[in-house]
Amino acid sequence: WLRYNEAFADLPVKLPAPFEADTRHALRVYTLVIEKSRAGISRDEFIAALHRRRIGTGVHYRAIPVHSVYQRLFGWQPTDFPKANSIGATTVSLPLSAKLTDEDVNDVIVAVREVLNSTKPRRVSRSSRPGSKSPPARIPQQLQTGGSKSRSPW
């Protein structure tokens, strides 16, 4: 959780809300809000780009009014709940599990950074001119962990 927060702090996304004082978070789902106007890519485009990089994602959760059963039973429409609809359409869950290795977490971080950095407008420099290769996105050393030690959020 902390590694994701640190790795994504400078990206054009909304991170999970900070923990409230005197609470303990279950840390079950790590979500980002991907707004096309801010990130240059929609949530669904972001998901597709991560899947092409073999990083699984989830959508937690779609707004209740977009489900046909609620539309049928209660007559609700997504437009009746614009904030819930917006959050449901822009939120993505990243892999988060005690079984993820440090390498797995690094893979997620690199993929997210590559996708979001590729949507930013760029200045043409020598390294970005046609025919030159850019180095792959890298994880800053301070965000990497070594061996089997993992940092606990507690």
Side-chain angles (χ1 to χ4, degrees):
W1 190 279
L2 293 177
R3 288 186 59 212
Y4 281 169
N5 276 348
E6 291 170 357
F8 306 145
D10 66 326
L11 296 177
V13 297
K14 290 183 184 175
L15 301 177
F19 306 148
E20 293 183 23
D22 300 319
T23 62
R24 186 171 175 176
H25 195 293
L27 304 176
R28 188 184 82 75
V29 177
Y30 188 92
T31 58
L32 294 176
V33 174
I34 310 290
E35 296 169 333
K36 189 167 189 165
S37 62
R38 190 170 169 199
I41 188 171
S42 72
R43 187 268 318 266
D44 293 341
E45 293 165 333
F46 176 78
I47 288 171
L50 285 182
H51 287 189
R52 285 191 297 274
R53 288 166 172 79
R54 303 182 52 79
I55 303 294
T57 61
V59 174
H60 291 91
Y61 296 90
R62 292 176 56 213
I64 290 174
V66 302
H67 295 275
S68 60
V69 66
Y70 294 100
Q71 292 173 5
R72 208 172 39 255
L73 291 174
F74 303 111
W76 294 349
Q77 294 301 312
T79 54
D80 297 335
F81 303 90
K83 288 184 181 179
N85 192 49
S86 175
I87 292 168
T90 58
T91 303
V92 60
S93 302
L94 298 179
L96 184 68
S97 166
K99 292 186 177 189
L100 289 177
T101 65
D102 290 333
E103 184 178 349
D104 294 334
V105 174
N106 288 343
D107 290 345
V108 173
I109 291 170
V110 167
V112 167
R113 294 189 65 80
E114 282 178 351
V115 169
L116 292 171
N117 284 327
S118 71
T119 63
K120 288 183 183 177
R122 300 179 207 272
R123 281 190 245 153
V124 176
S125 67
R126 285 186 177 160
S127 62
S128 63
R129 287 188 183 144
S132 66
K133 289 194 174 187
S134 307
R138 300 203 185 274
I139 301 171
Q141 187 63 37
Q142 67 270 25
L143 297 180
Q144 296 183 28
T145 59
S148 62
K149 295 178 184 176
S150 62
R151 296 176 358 185
S152 170
W154 309 116

